[in-house]
């Protein structure tokens, strides 16, 4: 036999062949990423499915809740009719619900919606009472925690399981980063093979290609929402907040608030209490001067309508929410949520006796980090850029749900008929590739929940999966 024949023996490939070495290395990396993507999905898919469904409900809450509770949340405004003063609405709520400790009042977002007065019942349950702003009639109440959107918010935050639920959601969010990154690597490294299978009309190739493209588009939003959602987490968010607070900053704004004083006098530029019957929201009446002696007996001359008028004059965005004083030491805190632009968020504290502005606190007063977090939250909630942000977030949630279905479907179709999970065989060369080890270590330190779970996974792999033959076969463990 000639040497040429020996060289072409398929059972004896030359170790020095650069093409074969490179191909083998590429397949090794591809399968390793695929394996991590596969196992991360077991934890991530249930979490992402819950987040996507509850996120959709939250996005649509302004459409869903009025439709489900039209009898208490919607009204019929009459042409030329003026709104009932909020002080009168508050009195009506207090008469209808004498046991309710009222904490705040919120303006309706449109003329066909009711005003909302929020408080707590003696048993500790929350209650939202709705009032027709045109007639002053109390329409009824809802427990915000038991509504569809209220339940979605609670599930979205901690699965209604307290600290355990917070941990599960944070763990799933951390591993979602791993699944997204490995998904991109699989998408890029496997594009040629994917196109070949698609051209050959191989079984499952269309679904695999569709899953890859949807993931490529959705993955950007996934990473963004995970990052902007981290400040809410129970472990990472709490620890980072404590660290930043110790270093003179914070993830959240820290409004120092203010206290009222019964001896304060009414600012002459604010309306007198005798004008409370005027619908302040119309803003047509001149602001009269005040009599400083009117508060000599320590009786309040300001009310919720005064606070709303002051808030409007200070430039707060509608709809405003007023936190109602509990005792003589508190103030009316008027909050301008600035739904679409956190840069205009502002709170004005109004003295409940004199009615003057005690202090203001807004976006410009936030620490720089808190400003960034505020913008991130608005983006996360789909409200930062109006309808564009809304529809992009809507499409993202739908895309995540599609991935949560197509991923398991692909696995189900290719799973082995016998035993085993059908997991891809592959192993990241962590020991020989320093940058992979460094990247995982850095991510583990930055995200402690991920780091602890990664250590646990590696220990289970080394101490159990590799030493028990049945587990080794089931989980497709390689040397």
């Amino acid at each position: 036999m000639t040497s040429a024949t020996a060289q072409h023996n398929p059972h004896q490939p030359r170790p020095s062949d650069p093409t074969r070495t490179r191909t083998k290395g590429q397949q090794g990396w591809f399968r390793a990423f695929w394996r991590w993507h596969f196992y991360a999905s077991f934890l991530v898919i249930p979490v992402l499915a819950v987040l996507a469904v509850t996120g959709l409900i939250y996005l649509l809450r302004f459409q869903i809740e009025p439709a489900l509770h039209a009898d208490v949340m919607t009204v019929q405004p009459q042409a030329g009719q003026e709104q009932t003063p909020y002080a009168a609405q508050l009195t009506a709520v207090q008469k209808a619900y004498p046991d309710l400790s009222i904490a705040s009042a919120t303006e309706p977002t449109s003329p066909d919606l009711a005003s909302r007065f929020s408080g707590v019942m003696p048993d500790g349950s929350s209650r939202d009472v709705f009032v027709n702003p045109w007639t002053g009639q109390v329409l009824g109440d809802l427990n915000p925690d038991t509504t569809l959107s209220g339940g979605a918010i609670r599930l979205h935050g901690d699965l209604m399981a307290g600290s355990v639920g917070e941990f599960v959601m944070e763990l799933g969010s951390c591993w979602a980063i791993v699944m997204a990154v490995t998904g991109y690597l699989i998408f890029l490294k496997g594009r040629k093979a994917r196109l070949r299978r698609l051209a050959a009309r191989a079984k499952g190739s269309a679904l695999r290609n569709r899953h890859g493209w949807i993931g490529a588009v959705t993955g950007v939003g996934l990473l963004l929402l995970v990052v902007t959602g981290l400040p809410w987490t129970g472990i990472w968010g709490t620890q980072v907040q404590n660290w930043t607070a110790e270093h003179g900053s914070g993830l959240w704004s820290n409004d120092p608030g203010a206290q009222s004083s019964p001896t304060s006098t009414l600012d002459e530029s604010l309306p007198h209490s005798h004008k409370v019957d005027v619908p302040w929201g119309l803003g047509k009446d001149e602001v009269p001067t005040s009599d400083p002696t009117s508060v000599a007996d320590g009786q309040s001359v300001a009310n919720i309508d005064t606070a709303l008028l002051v808030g409007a004059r200070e430039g707060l965005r509608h709809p405003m929410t007023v936190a109602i004083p509990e005792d003589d030491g508190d103030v009316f805190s008027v909050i301008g949520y600035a739904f679409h632009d956190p840069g205009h968020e502002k709170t004005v504290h109004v003295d409940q006796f004199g009615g003057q502005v005690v202090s203001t606190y807004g976006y410009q007063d936030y620490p720089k980090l808190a400003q960034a977090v505020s913008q991130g939250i608005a983006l996360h909630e789909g409200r930062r850029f109006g309808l564009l942000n809304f529809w992009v977030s809507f499409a993202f949630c739908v895309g995540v749900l599609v991935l949560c279905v197509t991923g398991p479907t692909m696995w189900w179709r290719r799973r082995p008929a016998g035993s085993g999970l059908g997991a891809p065989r592959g192993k990241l060369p962590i020991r020989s590739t320093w940058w992979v080890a460094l990247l995982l270590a850095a991510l583990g330190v930055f995200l402690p929940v991920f780091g602890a779970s990664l250590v646990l996974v590696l220990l289970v792999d080394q101490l159990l999966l590799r030493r028990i033959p049945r587990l080794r076969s089931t989980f497709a463990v390689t040397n």
Side-chain angles (χ1 to χ4, degrees):
M1 302 290 292
T2 64
S3 58
T5 303
Q7 285 180 338
H8 291 291
N9 187 341
H11 300 289
Q12 294 180 347
R14 291 189 302 175
S16 59
D17 188 336
T19 302
R20 289 182 175 273
T21 303
R22 184 168 58 252
T23 301
K24 182 178 180 180
Q26 289 174 348
Q27 287 183 344
W29 280 102
F30 178 84
R31 290 186 175 275
F33 291 139
W34 188 11
R35 182 177 178 84
W36 278 64
H37 188 79
F38 175 81
Y39 280 117
S41 67
F42 278 87
L43 172 65
V44 174
I45 283 179
V47 171
L48 285 185
V50 171
L51 290 176
V53 172
T54 55
L56 279 173
I57 294 173
Y58 185 76
L59 277 173
L60 298 170
R61 66 194 182 281
F62 297 121
Q63 293 77 32
I64 292 175
E65 295 304 336
L68 292 177
H69 308 287
D71 56 331
V72 296
M73 295 185 70
T74 61
V75 297
Q76 291 293 332
Q78 300 296 322
Q81 189 176 19
E82 294 182 342
Q83 288 193 6
T84 303
Y86 283 92
Q89 296 183 44
L90 176 60
T91 300
V93 173
Q94 291 171 333
K95 289 181 179 179
Y97 296 85
D99 295 330
L100 179 66
S101 178
I102 303 174
S104 66
T106 302
E107 295 178 311
T109 56
S110 65
D112 61 345
L113 291 177
S115 305
R116 185 176 76 249
F117 292 81
S118 302
V120 180
M121 297 297 288
D123 62 0
S125 63
S126 300
R127 195 73 78 241
D128 284 345
V129 180
F130 297 89
V131 180
N132 187 326
W134 304 103
T135 65
Q137 177 188 2
V138 176
L139 301 176
D141 66 274
L142 295 171
N143 184 336
D145 291 334
T146 61
T147 61
L148 180 62
S149 59
I153 292 171
R154 295 170 63 199
L155 278 172
H156 199 85
D158 61 8
L159 299 175
M160 299 186 187
S163 57
V164 174
E166 284 186 342
F167 175 80
V168 172
M169 298 301 273
E170 185 170 350
L171 182 63
S173 298
C174 291
W175 279 92
I177 298 175
V178 175
M179 195 172 74
V181 172
T182 54
Y184 275 117
L185 293 170
I186 294 170
F187 180 76
L188 294 174
K189 284 183 171 292
R191 63 187 183 281
K192 293 182 179 179
R194 187 172 60 253
L195 292 175
R196 284 197 301 268
R197 290 176 55 83
L198 190 63
R201 296 186 179 181
K203 183 180 179 180
S205 60
L207 180 62
R208 183 176 179 180
N209 186 63
R210 201 156 37 240
H211 179 87
W213 277 106
I214 294 174
V217 175
T218 306
V220 176
L222 176 61
L223 290 172
L224 180 62
L225 289 189
V226 167
V227 171
T228 56
L230 282 176
W232 278 305
T233 56
I235 296 177
W236 188 92
T238 301
Q239 294 303 315
V240 173
Q241 173 61 26
N242 292 338
W243 184 88
T244 54
E246 292 172 359
H247 290 76
S249 185
L251 293 180
W252 311 106
S253 58
N254 183 24
D255 186 352
Q259 296 296 315
S260 293
S261 172
T263 61
S264 61
T265 59
L266 184 65
D267 189 301
E268 65 178 8
S269 63
L270 298 180
H272 194 274
S273 60
H274 291 167
K275 302 292 290 183
V276 297
D277 291 334
V278 177
W280 305 119
L282 296 179
K284 294 181 178 179
D285 292 276
E286 295 182 0
V287 179
T289 59
S290 64
D291 181 4
T293 62
S294 64
V295 293
D297 57 358
Q299 296 297 313
S300 174
V301 295
N303 60 20
I304 188 172
D305 293 283
T306 311
L308 284 168
L309 181 61
V310 172
R313 192 188 66 176
E314 292 292 320
L316 269 62
R317 297 292 181 91
H318 294 278
M320 291 182 281
T321 294
V322 180
I324 300 171
E326 293 184 5
D327 53 47
D328 289 350
D330 290 338
V331 294
F332 287 104
S333 295
V334 191
I335 305 163
Y337 190 39
F339 188 79
H340 293 302
D341 187 358
H344 290 89
E345 290 176 354
K346 189 177 182 181
T347 298
V348 176
H349 300 288
V350 180
D351 188 287
Q352 64 167 305
F353 295 94
Q356 74 271 18
V357 176
V358 179
S359 69
T360 62
Y361 191 79
Y363 181 85
Q364 300 304 321
D365 303 307
Y366 297 178
K368 294 299 182 184
L369 187 56
Q371 289 182 347
V373 170
S374 183
Q375 295 287 346
I377 289 172
L379 190 65
H380 185 99
E381 294 182 343
R383 57 183 172 85
R384 177 60 186 89
F385 299 106
L387 286 176
L388 175 63
N389 200 166
F390 173 88
W391 285 113
V392 169
S393 297
F394 183 91
F396 164 77
C397 289
V398 173
V400 168
L401 289 174
V402 171
L403 293 175
C404 289
V405 173
T406 56
T409 300
M410 289 189 299
W411 166 74
W412 183 260
R413 289 179 176 179
R414 71 173 183 79
R415 76 192 192 287
S419 60
L421 294 175
R425 292 183 177 273
K427 182 180 179 182
L428 282 178
I430 296 177
R431 294 181 180 178
S432 59
T433 311
W434 64 269
W435 63 269
V436 175
L438 183 63
L439 180 62
L440 290 174
L443 191 60
V445 171
F446 181 69
L447 301 172
V449 170
F450 169 73
S453 63
L454 178 62
V455 170
L456 180 62
V457 167
L458 294 176
L459 287 175
V460 170
D461 180 69
Q462 292 293 326
L463 300 180
L464 293 178
L465 302 186
R466 295 181 181 279
R467 299 190 179 191
I468 302 176
R470 186 172 181 178
L471 293 178
R472 185 184 179 92
S473 174
T474 299
F475 291 92
V477 178
T478 59
N479 292 324

